[in-house]
Amino acid sequence: MRCSAPLCSTSVVVAVAEHEDHLLAAEADELDRAAEAALRPRRLDEFIGQPVVRDQLSLVLDAANARSKPPDHVLLAGPPGLGKTTLAMIIAGEVGGSLKITSGPAVQHAGDLAAILSSVQEQDVLFIDEIHRLARPAEEMLYLAMEDFRVDVVVGKGPGATAIPLTLPPFTVVGATTRSGLLPAPLRDRFGFTAHMDFYSEAELELVLTRSARLLGAELQPEAATQIASRARGTPRIANRLLRRVQDWAQVRGTGALDLDAAMAALDVFEVDRRGLDRLDRAVLRALCERFGGGPTGLTTVAVAVGEEPETVETVAEPFLVREGLMVRTPRGRVATAAAFSHLGLTPPTSPGMLWE
């Protein structure tokens, strides 16, 4: 697999949560991307998890290779950290083309996209991360490129402007989005295959961790893998991040072995509890349960109580708390559930309407 160096180095823009020290944030920062590069599988049969997507994608790629044609355009939808970028790299490797990487926020003008498309060769894969954030002019140009493999490059301005058609070789667009609902219907309809990626089971995460530890030159004990997987929120990126922290603890304060003691000690140091909550998550729950009687409480009030920005609370902490059934979003505000009180070792209120069952 080849990668277009200028695009990889200058056009990759990945949205990172504002709260960058949040160990359990699913978004990737620069350090994560550098560490993940060595751990990414190169072939589809090496990819762990997502069995339905893997089987469907295998069929699409095998059929395309049998016809000696590029596969249909692929849309990968799902929460961050589940392997969308990895699958794009695998698709390029399976079809024998080079991979060109950019992102929606990086393509703000039609000219930006035209410059990228002009370098595309046959069988290449163009990966657009956060594709729902493409600017409208670039989005309209992409329609034509995906459907007719051509773009119209406008030269000049005003009445003297001239559209020069540029024919493109057959290639494949792989789009990734964490918010498929924001994708315009005309763009969504141009993808021949849409893959919906789900959170991983703990058993799948254990396989991911064992493989990652082997690539890092370490042996991860099964008990340690189980502990890390149970706190990784169903997300391989978080699992690998926790694995690196356990490895740090084992090398600096332990015996070097990635065993259960090292895993438990490292996770305690970084304040990741048995349910996968960290400091910010517990602070939000404690604010709701201890200060506001379980709610309902407004987002801004909760954010002030924990000393964070409302956007940080809403985008970093709340999704997992809601998914775990520890908090509920209601029209009147945020409400802690009985499970939240139980997790914090508190007694739920008995007043009617003050607790979401």
Side-chain angles (χ1 to χ4, degrees):
M1 179 181 69
R2 306 183 308 279
C3 185
S4 178
L7 289 171
C8 287
S9 60
T10 62
S11 299
V12 178
V13 177
V14 179
V16 180
E18 290 184 11
H19 195 79
E20 292 184 355
D21 62 340
H22 186 66
L23 184 65
L24 301 183
E27 292 81 1
D29 57 19
E30 293 295 338
L31 292 176
D32 282 326
R33 287 193 288 273
E36 289 171 358
L39 303 179
R40 295 189 192 276
R42 298 290 186 264
R43 311 297 297 182
L44 192 58
D45 55 9
E46 298 174 1
F47 190 86
I48 298 172
Q50 309 296 337
V52 174
V53 171
R54 196 170 65 242
D55 184 52
Q56 293 171 342
L57 190 56
S58 175
L59 178 61
V60 170
L61 295 177
D62 289 346
N65 288 333
R67 292 191 292 264
S68 298
K69 293 183 177 181
D72 284 345
H73 304 301
V74 177
L75 179 64
L76 304 173
L82 299 185
K84 295 187 290 295
T85 302
T86 299
L87 281 179
M89 294 180 175
I90 288 174
I91 291 171
E94 295 284 357
V95 301
S98 67
L99 178 70
K100 299 181 184 298
I101 304 177
T102 187
S103 69
V107 182
Q108 292 302 308
H109 305 283
D112 298 334
L113 182 60
I116 296 172
L117 292 174
S118 65
S119 65
V120 169
Q121 300 178 8
E122 189 172 355
Q123 295 288 105
D124 280 359
V125 172
L126 173 59
F127 175 58
I128 306 177
D129 198 14
E130 295 298 305
I131 193 172
H132 62 272
R133 297 176 63 184
L134 274 176
R136 179 56 61 87
E139 182 182 295
E140 292 174 351
M141 176 179 283
L142 187 61
Y143 295 163
L144 192 60
M146 294 174 67
E147 193 162 0
D148 297 333
F149 295 109
R150 71 180 180 89
V151 294
D152 294 329
V153 180
V154 179
V155 179
K157 295 183 178 180
T162 303
I164 301 176
L166 174 64
T167 302
L168 302 174
F171 71 102
T172 300
V173 173
V174 177
T177 177
T178 56
R179 305 181 68 179
S180 57
L182 296 182
L183 209 63
L187 180 57
R188 186 168 55 246
D189 292 344
R190 282 170 169 79
F191 287 97
F193 169 61
T194 299
H196 297 278
M197 304 183 71
D198 298 319
F199 289 102
Y200 280 55
S201 68
E202 290 185 14
E204 290 171 335
L205 287 178
E206 289 181 32
L207 294 176
V208 170
L209 287 164
T210 301
R211 177 184 179 276
S212 297
R214 184 174 65 252
L215 293 175
L216 292 172
E219 183 179 352
L220 181 65
Q221 298 297 322
E223 297 83 0
T226 300
Q227 277 299 322
I228 298 172
S230 67
R231 308 185 193 201
R233 304 188 176 199
T235 306
R237 175 176 292 148
I238 295 176
N240 285 328
R241 190 183 298 154
L242 292 177
L243 173 63
R244 296 197 300 272
R245 300 293 75 79
V246 171
Q247 187 179 32
D248 292 344
W249 191 96
Q251 290 178 347
V252 175
R253 300 183 182 178
T255 63
L258 304 186
D259 54 17
L260 179 60
D261 291 339
M264 296 292 287
L267 294 170
D268 286 344
V269 167
F270 290 100
E271 300 181 306
V272 181
D273 67 23
R274 293 179 180 274
R275 194 157 181 171
L277 276 63
D278 69 358
R279 180 203 61 81
L280 177 60
D281 303 320
R282 290 190 297 274
V284 170
L285 289 185
R286 288 196 177 278
L288 278 175
C289 297
E290 297 180 345
R291 300 188 188 184
F292 307 116
T297 308
L299 172 63
T300 302
T301 302
V302 174
V304 171
V306 300
E308 294 285 354
E309 293 295 324
E311 289 184 35
T312 301
V313 174
E314 185 176 25
T315 60
V316 177
E318 283 190 355
F320 181 68
L321 295 177
V322 172
R323 182 159 62 91
E324 287 293 294
L326 299 172
M327 187 180 75
V328 177
R329 292 172 173 172
T330 73
R332 297 176 57 198
R334 275 58 177 173
V335 178
T337 66
F341 282 87
S342 176
H343 183 71
L344 297 175
L346 303 174
T347 301
T350 56
S351 302
M354 292 297 291
L355 186 65
W356 188 281
E357 294 293 347

